[in-house]
Amino acid sequence: FIGVRINKSIANLWLAQNQQFFENNYAHLGIEKEYNPKAKNLLVPESYNKYKFFASGRVYENYMLVFIDLKKRQDLLTSVSSLFLLPEKDHIQYHAGINPADELPIVFLICKNKLTKSLRKQYEEVVEFTEEMSLECINSRNLTLYSENEEIIERLFKNNTILEQYKKIADYIEMIFYSDRKSFSKNDHAIVFSYEFDKINQPNVFEDITKFSHMVIDFICSSTVKASYKKEAENRRKEFDLRKSKELAEKNAEEVKNKKEEMKNNLKKPLTREQAIKLE
């Protein structure tokens, strides 16, 4: 009961620090068709330690989905084992489907050093289109940067307003991933911010991560790239898609071949009455 109460209070704290921001920036909050800003169900509980928040209708953004994934404080065994084994952390993720003003063929990933291997495996476009880059304000925080376009990243972190906000929350960043490859939505470019917390003891920290996330979104969506770069990026994507299509066709052909071989082998065996009917 104590664990459930603590998790609920953390989720409500996130909402209390951010509700005004979302009301000022989005046309619709919550999952109900009829928008009521005073509704008590803006935060949707999925379990005792997981909550979800949805907002839609903002310049450049089709939607914003926030996942609040907290420690399993309601589970005594997990709570005790985390003291002696791998400690659990609280996580908050922001998923946004965005539409930049100018088509922006860019992929970049900023993540904790320990996550680089697993995330590069998870997001194939990071391996295909990006290279590891060095930027002092990022690398000094035990973060790794992969980007397809160095200029955009440098402009992002040379923006004084964004840089100041970044310094407030940099230690909580687990991952920032942006892709024009429609990784999460068929119609949108996608951006994900993931933050992790050992302890939530900084005043207004939830408000700060929300502001930073939206600053980055606004910067990306209002940015432009050179026509020469855009052409090169589009060619890279065409080559990649062509190669993937060829690999998929070869895989399908191999599966068909294996299936035919399997059917031939089965025909050599005596069939039961049911198998004969099915084959017929």
Side-chain angles (χ1 to χ4, degrees):
F1 289 107
I2 293 170
V4 169
R5 191 163 61 245
I6 292 172
N7 279 345
K8 190 173 182 180
S9 68
I10 292 172
N12 286 333
L13 178 62
W14 180 90
L15 183 62
Q17 290 189 13
N18 288 296
Q19 184 169 349
Q20 190 63 54
F21 176 90
F22 279 96
E23 285 180 6
N24 293 341
N25 283 270
Y26 288 82
H28 189 97
L29 307 186
I31 59 175
E32 300 297 330
K33 290 183 179 179
E34 296 296 326
Y35 173 46
N36 177 12
K38 294 182 180 179
K40 295 181 180 180
N41 60 345
L42 290 179
L43 211 56
V44 180
E46 295 192 303
S47 68
Y48 288 137
N49 63 299
K50 293 185 179 183
Y51 295 81
K52 191 162 61 177
F53 176 85
F54 181 79
S56 60
R58 183 175 184 263
V59 176
Y60 301 131
E61 284 182 65
N62 290 335
Y63 69 87
M64 170 65 78
L65 191 55
V66 182
F67 298 92
I68 302 173
D69 189 356
L70 305 173
K71 298 176 186 178
K72 293 181 179 178
R73 292 179 173 87
Q74 76 278 7
D75 185 333
L76 181 60
L77 183 62
T78 301
S79 298
V80 172
S81 63
S82 69
L83 294 175
F84 304 100
L85 301 173
L86 290 174
E88 274 195 307
K89 294 185 180 182
D90 294 310
H91 292 84
I92 298 179
Q93 283 196 356
Y94 296 72
H95 289 223
I98 61 178
N99 289 308
D102 183 35
E103 190 70 20
L104 209 62
I106 292 173
V107 176
F108 73 79
L109 171 69
I110 300 170
C111 66
K112 295 274 188 187
N113 295 340
K114 62 183 180 182
L115 297 176
T116 54
K117 188 175 180 179
S118 61
L119 289 176
R120 279 168 59 83
K121 190 174 181 180
Q122 181 178 348
Y123 301 122
E124 62 179 359
E125 55 262 66
V126 174
V127 177
E128 182 66 29
F129 300 115
T130 71
E131 293 180 359
E132 186 173 350
M133 296 182 179
S134 179
L135 203 61
E136 177 58 29
C137 65
I138 291 176
N139 300 124
S140 63
R141 301 282 186 164
N142 295 319
L143 297 169
T144 302
L145 165 64
Y146 294 94
S147 180
E148 185 177 7
N149 183 291
E150 190 172 4
E151 181 188 353
I152 287 288
I153 295 295
E154 287 182 347
R155 278 176 16 210
L156 173 65
F157 286 97
K158 282 181 180 178
N159 182 299
N160 290 331
T161 306
I162 295 175
L163 185 58
E164 285 304 311
Q165 193 67 21
Y166 167 79
K167 290 176 180 177
K168 293 180 184 179
I169 56 88
D171 292 335
Y172 302 113
I173 293 174
E174 182 180 37
M175 175 192 75
I176 302 173
F177 173 68
Y178 169 76
S179 174
D180 67 304
R181 298 286 299 165
K182 301 176 174 53
S183 305
F184 301 95
S185 173
K186 292 180 180 179
N187 302 315
D188 307 313
H189 293 198
I191 189 163
V192 178
F193 300 83
S194 182
Y195 303 94
E196 63 178 13
F197 304 85
D198 290 315
K199 293 181 180 179
I200 302 169
N201 52 13
Q202 181 179 320
N204 301 319
V205 64
F206 294 146
E207 183 181 2
D208 286 335
I209 63 174
T210 297
K211 285 182 177 178
F212 173 75
S213 301
H214 285 82
M215 284 179 180
V216 174
I217 289 172
D218 290 344
F219 175 86
I220 289 172
C221 289
S222 59
S223 294
T224 58
V225 291
K226 296 175 182 177
S228 57
Y229 165 80
K230 191 181 293 187
K231 188 174 181 180
E232 290 172 4
E234 288 172 354
N235 289 335
R236 282 195 294 271
R237 281 151 178 73
K238 286 178 182 177
E239 290 174 5
F240 175 69
D241 291 337
L242 189 63
R243 189 169 71 252
K244 294 297 289 185
S245 297
K246 187 177 178 181
E247 289 173 1
L248 182 61
E250 290 174 352
K251 182 181 177 182
N252 290 339
E254 185 67 24
E255 288 177 357
V256 169
K257 182 181 176 183
N258 292 338
K259 197 168 184 180
K260 285 181 178 179
E261 289 294 329
E262 185 181 346
M263 288 177 68
K264 285 180 181 178
N265 292 333
N266 288 337
L267 286 173
K268 294 176 183 178
K269 301 176 184 177
L271 301 178
T272 64
R273 183 171 179 273
E274 289 78 9
Q275 288 174 330
I277 293 171
K278 187 177 180 181
L279 181 63
E280 184 63 30

